[in-house]
Amino acid sequence: EQAERFGVPVLAPLFAKERYGQYQQLLDPNTGVRSDVALLDMVDAVARLTGADTSRLLLFGYSGGAQFVHRFAMAHPHRVDSAVVAAAGWYTFPNFSAPYPLGLRDETGEFAFEVNQISKVRFHVAVGELDTVRDGSLRRSKQIDRRQGRTRVDRALAWTQAMNAFAASVHSDARVSFFVLPGIGHSFVEAVEAADLARLAFERLMADAGWQPIEAGQ
């Protein structure tokens, strides 16, 4: 509905676990398969099939998808205009002294993170007000708890602050916005149906891209 409202194509990739494993980290340590490269191949296919301009992408991800989205944007900032990162379990911080995926020091030789380019991506971070349960789907370790916080709310706020400080340090005008979904826990369905997340995400992405809703009859 929101895609039709703004006249944009939507690509929803499925990263099968048996092939892509920990797709959220872009490179699965067991299979060696790159999910970010796979997405770029999918985007090229969309361009051929639809004729859409795919030179700059607008990204949305929820939970594990949000982990993938913000790491993809960091690895390919020249391809990403803006991204909505919703309810990620944990984050890659703009710290070049910490190894990836905790930070941006790449010890695999697979990625070439560019400070100035990363700081230009416009991120919007969303999290449910009640997304504070430390359940089995939340990545838990003493290191992550200490550096990022113990809940998705804490971690979302910590990453937002770190990214804004990072942008300011390299004199970038881009800033990360942060918004809370009232009364919502860790549920994508509730976030969409009760907190209108789809509309909120599209409106932020479209505003960044300078797109307006299509008027009736157009």
Side-chain angles (χ1 to χ4, degrees), residues 11 30 33 69 72 86 90 106 124-125 133 140 153 186 195 201 212:
L11 167 63
N30 297 315
V33 174
V69 159
F72 180 94
W90 63 295
D106 177 34
H124 305 277
V125 177
V133 178
R140 289 170 289 179
V153 174
H186 194 65
Q212 298 296 322

Side-chain angles (χ1 to χ4, degrees), residues 146-166:
R146 183 177 65 254
R147 294 185 178 185
Q148 303 191 16
R150 291 177 55 81
T151 72
R152 291 184 181 88
V153 174
D154 294 336
R155 294 174 183 182
L157 185 56
W159 191 75
T160 298
Q161 294 171 340
M163 288 295 290
N164 282 330
F166 167 67

Side-chain angles (χ1 to χ4, degrees), residues 101-171:
L102 280 171
L104 294 175
R105 189 180 80 233
D106 177 34
E107 298 178 340
T108 67
E110 293 281 345
F111 306 104
F113 297 110
E114 302 175 37
V115 175
N116 290 329
Q117 291 300 315
I118 291 173
S119 67
K120 295 177 182 178
V121 178
R122 287 167 288 190
F123 289 101
H124 305 277
V125 177
V127 67
E129 178 186 16
L130 306 180
D131 199 346
T132 57
V133 178
R134 288 170 61 80
D135 56 21
S137 65
L138 181 70
R139 177 65 69 93
R140 289 170 289 179
S141 74
K142 291 182 179 179
Q143 186 179 38
I144 293 176
D145 288 352
R146 183 177 65 254
R147 294 185 178 185
Q148 303 191 16
R150 291 177 55 81
T151 72
R152 291 184 181 88
V153 174
D154 294 336
R155 294 174 183 182
L157 185 56
W159 191 75
T160 298
Q161 294 171 340
M163 288 295 290
N164 282 330
F166 167 67
S169 72
V170 294
H171 308 292

Side-chain angles (χ1 to χ4, degrees), residues 73-92:
M74 287 176 149
H76 306 278
H78 58 288
R79 292 296 302 273
V80 179
D81 196 38
S82 66
V84 174
V85 180
W90 63 295
Y91 297 80
T92 293

Side-chain angles (χ1 to χ4, degrees), residues 57-72:
L57 306 177
L58 303 170
L59 303 179
F60 169 84
Y62 186 92
S63 195
Q67 292 184 42
F68 171 83
V69 159
H70 85 275
R71 291 181 179 124
F72 180 94

Side-chain angles (χ1 to χ4, degrees), residues 9-21:
V10 171
L11 167 63
L14 172 63
F15 295 113
K17 187 174 181 60
E18 59 270 17
R19 174 167 177 77
Y20 294 99

